[in-house]
Amino acid sequence: MPKFLYTVLVLNAALWWYTIHWINTTKPATLTNILTFLFLLFVSLGITLSVLFYFRLYKKAPSFTNLRLLYRRGLKWGFFSSFGIVFVLGMKALNIYHIINLLLFAVFYYALYLQLRSKR
């Protein structure tokens, strides 16, 4: 395992600890608290999923591949997946979770997927 991945895992553990600490100590009474929690969840989930995508990409990569570049690709897809999950949870938390908003978000998310997929 590359050395930079240990740093990412330690950062990820610290972010999840802070996110859980935020959940346990803060009430979702204000918009600021809700948005702060969603941001913490976005970053924590994005880094967690990026590690999983990295291992998936590493398994399929040929030998002598730049591992940092491979992790950056995993980071891109991890934050993309995290964005979808957190945005839907944010719509639910802000009471704008309707079928029309979900359809509009699905169209936007698909267009974003097409943009990210076309770039290396």
Side-chain angles (χ1 to χ4, degrees):
M1 191 164 11
K3 291 181 182 178
F4 70 89
L5 205 54
Y6 292 116
T7 306
V8 169
L9 292 175
V10 169
L11 174 70
N12 194 15
L15 280 169
W16 276 113
W17 178 84
Y18 188 68
T19 303
I20 291 170
H21 177 72
W22 181 268
I23 291 170
N24 291 332
T25 58
T26 309
K27 294 182 181 180
T30 64
L31 182 64
T32 307
N33 290 347
I34 293 171
L35 293 179
T36 304
F37 166 69
L38 289 175
F39 177 74
L40 285 172
L41 184 65
F42 171 69
V43 173
S44 300
L45 192 60
I47 292 178
T48 301
L49 292 175
S50 72
V51 172
L52 297 176
F53 278 111
Y54 167 75
F55 285 127
R56 182 173 168 251
L57 291 171
Y58 180 74
K59 188 176 181 181
K60 294 179 5 180
S63 298
F64 305 113
T65 303
N66 186 356
L67 297 180
R68 287 183 190 262
L69 183 62
L70 207 60
Y71 179 73
R72 288 179 187 143
R73 283 190 198 144
L75 193 66
K76 174 177 72 171
W77 291 112
F79 274 104
F80 173 73
S81 302
S82 175
F83 174 69
I85 294 167
V86 170
F87 196 86
V88 171
L89 289 175
M91 285 194 309
K92 185 77 171 167
L94 298 174
N95 293 328
I96 56 172
Y97 188 76
H98 302 290
I99 191 70
I100 295 170
N101 288 340
L102 282 176
L103 288 175
L104 289 172
F105 177 67
V107 169
F108 171 70
Y109 199 66
Y110 182 69
L112 188 61
Y113 167 75
L114 291 177
Q115 286 292 317
L116 289 176
R117 185 183 61 147
S118 66
K119 296 180 182 177
R120 282 265 160 194

